[in-house]
Every structure is written in structure tokens, then in C-alpha cells.
Amino acid sequence: MSEDLSRNERIKEASNYLRGTLAEGLRREITGAINEDDAQLVKFHGMYLQDDRDLRPERTRKKMEKAFAFMIRVRVPGGNLATAQWLALDRVARDYGNGTVRLTTRQSVQLHGVIKSNLRPTLQAIDAVLLSSISACGDVNRNVMCNPNPHESRAHAAALDLARAISDHLTPRTPAYREIWLDGERIIGGEDEVVEPIYGKTYLPRKFKIVVAVPPSNDVDVFAHDLGFIAILDSNGHVRGWNVTAGGGMGMTHGEPETYPRTADIMGFCATGDVLAIAEAVVTVQRDWGDRGNRKHARLKYTIEDRGLDAFRAEVERRAGVKLDPAKPFVFTSTGDRYGWTEGEDGRGHLTLFIGNGRVRDAGPGAQQLSALRRIAELHDSDFRITANQNLMVASVPPQRRAAIEQIAASNALLAPRSGLRRNSMACVALPTCGLALAESERYLPDLLDALDARLAAYGLSADDIVIRMTGCPNGCARPYLAEIGLVGKGSSRYNLYLGASFDGSRLSKLYAEDVDHAAIIERIDPLFATYAAERKVGEHFGDFVIRSGFVARTTNGRDFHANVGARRAA
Ligand code: HEM
Ligand code: SF4
């Protein structure tokens, strides 16, 4: 192999289709960890080796090993879970995890705090309800997302079918997962192309994320993803085909302007029957063209920036044997969830609950959310839908069950809050589990929201929808650069403040203030709220307002992200 390849490429190549020495590592009782190479490979199996960062100082003092445990991410295509599957996840979270279930911004479920000796029983329990964690992380296609909108029911059904078909088509074929975690027989691999016909031995240069959107909702944040399909509906609500988007991504590194978030380009339009061929072609072009030397430059967004959209599209069309039509018009209105009840076409209702930062746990009287959802799942044998905003929809509720479910939700703080800011908030996990976190996120955002809500109330803006997102580092797991107010961890209790993304998720924000702590965040945002209340036009969203008023410049895309700033920027 060329010396130019990154270390992860060597690990993948030598791993024998993701086996590495994971099976041996699991048997080593002397440590709660696994070796470094296996820690890279275990991501492809949907797990991250982590340690409790809150406990680090004490354990270092006592000369103890870090408090290692694993995060397991379960794939849930389209966010659709049978309530029986939810009950199984609830059980393993309590038996083997830290007693919480984390709904993610990509419609999957994370279990935290699973120690090494409990990994196999946990994955076996997950497998027993036909769920899996394979390729929930790693350099492969991850969980495929899909709008859970019950308003456009027929389009939603088509979108969910498509999300599941794409997910199945791009799931790694290696038997390593079954072998290592589920006691599968060792199956001797055949020719390379037989084992992994799409990925080959070294899989993709970097993670790959696909979503399916149903306008007018852009809840899945289609422009944040490597590949997207936007449903184009006819006047009867039937899907005519799909606009194809490519080259979106969030991650960047502080101080490295050659890394940047980017919104996806719209490549064209295709028929439903061509979607799998297009998806596979996009994946294989990225497999072959993506940068395998520098992992910070390995996402599809950089391939498209470097090669140009036209060359990329031509190669995708050639490999797929499909000529894309020009993109069709569509309109997105928001990225948020519609809370409360909505009516299905069959007389059943769907109740969208608010889950603060996606963390489901029993937090005390009036907020026993894990138990409450367990009770709802026990009494409602149907499905739950995880939304792309870390919330949960109880779907397909017959009229006679509505009152009981709503009552359980209401008495456990699961109904949407009044604050328009909180209703549109997301935070990534960050501390104490995420090894990359530079600052708090999930544990801090609720306090910041209290403070900002007080300011909004003072200006009569409490009920206005404003999208706010926070992450503990610039990797962007909660898609902060697409929030009207984005806060990105810079160091302990310090954040970079980004403003000016659009409410419909189509435009990135810009850096407005650097290295701000709690007091400074409020100090910088408060005058903007005041001006917004006084000067906004009818229906004007906050992200558009700060640009029109000159507080930040408008971002066009990608490379332009770091260039700032508007004339009225505070000193
Ligand atoms: C580019 C570098 C990135 C790295 C290295 C990275 C790494 C991680 C890690 C280690 C976690 C686990 C945290 C924990 O649960 O304790 C995590 C969580 C997560 N990441 Fe990322 N991430 C990256 C970017 C992204 C992006 C751009 C997205 C989405 C667009 C994303 C989506 C998620 C989701 C959904 C979670 C689950 C927790 C949540 O909902 O925030 N990640 N990531
Ligand atoms: S954004 Fe950073 S801190 Fe937050 S979960 Fe992702 S990697 Fe961790």
C-alpha cells in the first residue's frame, strides 16, 4: 500500500473484512478497553470505545484504568421502530447500559455505558428484535433517514420504503458482525467482490450519510448530508420521482479553514426505479475518488469541491446507466417537528412528543420519561418514529387510546414546551461520554435556554420559532451550522457563536462571536433579539433578519464559510 494512505486505510485493509482482533480483544479480561486498531474497527459494528470523562481525574489519582464503556448505536432506517423493539431497547438500556436511551439527530438510538463483558448479550438482545448496529458508525453508509410526516401519508410510505431499500442495498455484507457478536459460524470469505461487492476491502474513505426528504418539511436536513433524495409529488400527493442532492456535510476543525461545513448541491431528478442505481453509483464514485490520505478531506463534499459537480454527475450517470433530468421545483418551509396530535388518513392519530436533547431517562417525579414511554409502548402495540430533531412520535394511535397516551405524556413532561426556541433546539451528547468534546452540550443547553427564554419573553418573542443547536466540538453532530443560532464548543465553557442560517435548512450560518462563555453569549444575543422584535418584517425568520440587518454576511457555500463579517457586527 502507498505510504500516502491514512492509518485507518491500513487498518481496514488488514482487518479481514472488519474482523481485526475483536474476538480476541473481547476475551481479554485484564482491561475494559480494546486495542487501538480494533477501536477503529468496532465503529463499523456500530460501537465507540469511550470512557466516563467525569471520572478521569479521580481514576488517574488512584492510578486506575479509565472507566471504559462502549456506546452502541442502533440502526433504525427512517426512525421507524415497532413498539416491541422499543421495549427491547428500553430493557437493554436498563440491564446493560446507563439506564438512558438517547435518540439521535439521525433517527437512531444510542445506548451508553455498556461495559465490554456486556457487549455480546446486549447485541444479542438487539438482534432478537431484528435490529442491528452494523455500520451505524464507521466508513460506510450509516443510518438512512426519512421524514416521518404523517400529513403526506402516501408519500411518506414511499419515502420510508425507499429509505429501507437504500439501507438494505448499502449494508455491508461481511459476516464479521454475526460471527463476533452473535455466535455466528465462521463463514469463509470468497472472492473480495463477493464479500463486499459495493465497498471492497477498504470500504469508503470516510463516513457516508443518506436521507430522504418529503417537502414541505426539511426535518432530515437534506443539505447536511452526503446524498439526499427529495420527493417530488404530483397534485394527488403521489411521488413522481426524486431530486438528488450530493455533497453536504457538517464537520470541520477549529483553526483549519481548509475544513468547512457545506450544503449539498442539487444534481438533478430521477425516477423511483433508478434510485438504487444512483445511490450505488454515488457511493462507488466516492469510494474511488475520495481522499484516502487525509481523513479531514475525505468526505464527499471535498471530492465534489475538488472535481466539480459536473464531472461528478457525469461519472455517476455513467456508472448508474441513468441520465438525470433537470431538478424539479419544490419548497421547504422548515426543519422542525410538528408537535402534538396530527390526523392520519385512516382515522388514527400521531402524537409527536418533545424529548429534550433526545435523552430519555427517569429524572424524578413528573419526568419519568423512560418509564412513561415504556408504559405507552406496552399499551400501544404499533410503532414509534424517531424524528430527525431528537423527538419521538407515537404513531397510528386509534381514537380509544388517545386520552390514555396523552395523559401519560402530559404527566411526564413529554408534551412540547411553549418556548419557540426550546421547541426548535438540539444538542449533541458531548460530555461526559464523547471523547472529542471540548465543551458541554447536552448538559448545558437547557440552562442556556432558560436564560435566553427570559430575554425572549422580555421582547414578546417567546412563542416565535427560532432554531438553536449546540455541539461540544466542531464536528457538528447536531448540525449547528444549519441553525439560526449555532453554538460550537471551543474549550471548557466557551463556544463559537454562529448566526444567519435559514429556517428551511438551505443556507449555512456565519461566525458571529468567538470564544464566548455563558454571560457573553447572552450579552451578544440579547441586543439581536431586541432589534429583531423592533425591526423584523412580517413573517421574517431570525436567521434571515440578522443577514438583512447586516449583523452577519450571507454564506453562499462551503469554502466561503469562514469569510465574514457583516457591517453591524458588534466589536
Ligand atoms: C466529522 C466528524 C465527526 C466525528 C468524529 C463524530 C463523532 C461522534 C462521536 C464520538 C459521537 C458519540 C458521542 C456520544 O454519544 O457519546 C457522535 C455522536 C453523534 N454524531 Fe457524530 N461525529 C462527527 C460528525 C457528525 C455529523 C456531521 C453528524 C450529523 C450530521 C453526526 C451525527 C451524530 C449523531 C446523530 C450522534 C449521536 C448523538 C447526537 O444525537 O448528537 N456526527 N459523533
Ligand atoms: S459534536 Fe463533537 S462533542 Fe458533540 S457528539 Fe459530536 S463529536 Fe462529540
Side-chain angles (χ1 to χ4, degrees), residues 48 50 71 73 102 104-106 110 112 206-207 209 250-251 390 428-429 433-434 436 475-477 479:
Y48 260 80
Q50 306 185 317
M71 177 277 276
R73 190 180 291 161
R102 180 64 154 71
T104 82
T105 59
R106 298 201 72 257
Q110 284 190 184
H112 289 99
R206 204 65 173 71
K207 64 171 79 168
K209 298 178 177 176
M250 290 286 103
Q390 306 173 319
C428 76
V429 177
T433 54
C434 181
L436 304 164
N475 284 334
C477 299
R479 306 188 285 272

Side-chain angles (χ1 to χ4, degrees), residues 224-244:
H225 290 90
D226 295 277
L227 175 60
F229 295 94
I230 301 172
I232 303 298
L233 310 183
D234 66 19
S235 51
N236 297 318
H238 292 289
V239 175
R240 286 168 60 201
W242 309 85
N243 278 354
V244 184

